[in-house]
Amino acid sequence: MEFERAKEILNQYKDYQYTDEEVSEILKLLTVFADVTVKNILRESREKKP
């Protein structure tokens, strides 16, 4: 997702506006969560195969 769009989504309906650095850190954290989720799903699917 492009940075400006992510910033727009995060700041929508907020009184407090996130800074560029905060948006960048949030995106990094979400990327880690996504990577862990995908790896866990792949591991579980490999374990279920006979």
Side-chain angles (χ1 to χ4, degrees), residues 4-44:
E4 289 302 320
R5 180 68 180 129
K7 187 174 179 180
E8 180 182 317
I9 291 169
L10 287 169
N11 286 328
Q12 189 175 16
Y13 309 118
K14 301 283 287 184
D15 292 333
Y16 170 81
Q17 300 293 298
Y18 291 104
T19 65
D20 288 354
E21 185 177 331
E22 290 170 327
V23 172
S24 179
E25 291 298 315
I26 290 168
L27 289 174
K28 288 178 189 176
L29 181 62
L30 291 173
T31 300
V32 170
F33 287 155
D35 289 344
V36 169
T37 301
V38 168
K39 287 178 183 177
N40 283 336
I41 290 171
L42 291 174
R43 180 182 48 84
E44 288 175 3

